[in-house]
Amino acid sequence: MPSAKPPSRQLDPPAPAPAHRSSRLFFTLFFTLSSFAEGGQAVVLLWLTYALTNSALLIGVMVVLGYLPAALLGLLFKRFADRGRAGRVARSTNTALSVVSLLLAAQHFSSGGRTALSITVIALSQVVLSIAKMFNKAALNRLIRGAFEREEARRLLAVSQSASLTGQVFGAGLAGVALAQGWITAALICAALAYAASAGSLSLGTRGYADRAEQRPGSGENPAGGGRAAVPIRWSSALIGVLVFSVPSSGALQFLNTILVPLASTVAPEQPSYYALLNIVTIAGGFLAGVLLSTGAVSSRRVLGWALPVTVALSLALALVDAAYLVAVVAFGLSLAVTCHVICMQVLTNQVPADHEVGQFAVVRNVVASLAKAVFSFAAGTLVGVYGVAVAFVVLACGTALFAAGWLVMRPRWDTPGTSAR
């Protein structure tokens, strides 16, 4: 009779062959294009929401709809995350994102002046996009795990952060130009085309590699795909540690992004250019984080040990300094430290679980990160509105300090190449 035990690592797929350089380039292009589409589409939809309703509250609701559906449904549907071919799932979700963008463009072109209908369509699109992105992230983690060696996967995930930020900046910038010219429909069509191009790039990048994440034909077990029931995650202290310590950095990054506008207004009133400067320096910090980790200039072990204490110190600094140039420098450092920690958590999400648990665990981690972003974003807005920017950063420092203390107590160990000392 078949054993009732979960499949062991001996039944997992064999280690992947080294990926060609062209595959890495296509993956990087995928992250750039998909973030270009996401960044541009977000700017257009949030601006359109405010233009139609003049309500900042509805903007907050739309942001929440971009996170909460994935968080609520992720745990219910995580058992499906390791089924099917990862490459096919990832391409399908990006195709779905492209279709949604086209539908948004068609709706705005045909009936953009109907406020109630437009807001309803935008809200529904946010829900669909949230769920599609959740399954997309799970499939990508499976795909990268199956197509690349561990060290190559670590570098690719680090590079993807820089590529994503680059795409997001260009997407948001071009969306701003389109909004200034009134080209809303064209901007949404551009996002749709970028999503479609990213799906094509992924298809080229996974040619010959997508099937390696699947079990070889003839095996007695197939934990990762097919029609059999998914194997539940075997929880360990390592997996729980990844979830717990994903909260402070994912939340802090969203906290910083939320608070940039009031921070700029406090430091340099009536100077929109200073807000643009803060945006640039924080994005530059995130870009540099990807470069440092992908090149090995900074080890993951050092980041995991020092990023949270540095975040505490820099958050307190932002609460105390008021000189414009100092605030910009400290904001750059805070973005750099937090993004380094986020990248390390993304790498661990990909490399710590067993092969047949990668998709499910990526969904669970996405749930935790989405909830953290929603809570920290709401807290940032509330604290700034009631107590001011300085108090908000003090609260961020205190919250991060609790996680830093927890790190010292738990000392989680992750047996991956990315966490080895250098």
Side-chain angles (χ1 to χ4, degrees), residues 107-364:
Q107 187 276 326
H108 179 76
F109 179 76
S110 61
S111 56
R114 300 178 186 176
T115 301
L117 177 61
S118 295
I119 294 300
T120 301
V121 170
I122 293 173
L124 291 175
S125 71
Q126 288 292 89
V127 173
V128 174
L129 292 170
S130 174
I131 297 171
K133 290 171 186 176
M134 173 188 67
F135 283 106
N136 188 43
K137 289 179 180 179
L140 284 171
N141 271 280
R142 289 174 55 204
L143 193 55
I144 292 172
R145 177 68 169 264
F148 296 90
E149 296 283 1
R150 282 179 177 268
E151 187 65 18
E152 285 293 325
R154 183 186 68 81
R155 291 178 180 175
L156 177 61
L157 289 168
V159 169
S160 72
Q161 182 71 25
S162 296
S164 296
L165 286 170
T166 301
Q168 189 174 1
V169 169
F170 279 101
L174 290 179
V177 173
L179 290 175
Q181 300 297 325
W183 300 336
I184 298 175
T185 301
L188 292 172
I189 292 176
C190 183
L193 293 176
Y195 274 128
S198 70
S201 178
L202 187 64
S203 179
L204 293 172
T206 57
R207 182 175 296 173
Y209 296 98
D211 294 340
R212 292 206 170 113
E214 309 296 330
Q215 189 71 13
R216 288 178 296 184
S219 297
E221 302 281 353
N222 185 4
R228 299 195 181 194
V231 178
I233 297 175
R234 291 171 290 176
W235 290 103
S236 64
S237 59
L239 293 179
I240 294 173
V242 173
L243 297 182
V244 170
F245 292 103
S246 290
V247 171
S249 52
S250 292
L253 193 58
Q254 187 65 28
F255 191 101
L256 178 61
N257 291 333
T258 302
I259 213 170
L260 278 185
V261 173
L263 175 62
S265 299
T266 301
V267 175
E270 299 182 1
Q271 293 186 31
S273 59
Y274 185 70
Y275 169 62
L277 173 65
L278 287 184
N279 261 307
I280 292 171
V281 299
T282 53
I283 290 171
F287 181 86
L288 181 59
V291 172
L292 292 175
L293 284 166
S294 63
T295 59
V298 177
S299 70
S300 296
R301 184 174 181 177
R302 291 188 182 277
V303 169
L304 294 172
W306 289 100
L308 295 183
V310 169
T311 299
V312 173
L314 293 178
S315 297
L316 290 175
L318 283 175
L320 298 175
V321 301
D322 56 5
Y325 70 94
L326 284 178
V327 169
V329 171
V330 176
F332 170 83
L334 181 59
S335 175
L336 173 62
V338 172
T339 306
C340 279
H341 196 274
V342 168
I343 293 173
C344 288
M345 290 297 106
Q346 291 172 341
V347 172
L348 291 169
T349 300
N350 180 263
Q351 296 188 348
V352 170
D355 290 327
H356 59 276
E357 299 172 343
V358 174
Q360 294 183 72
F361 186 69
V363 169
V364 176

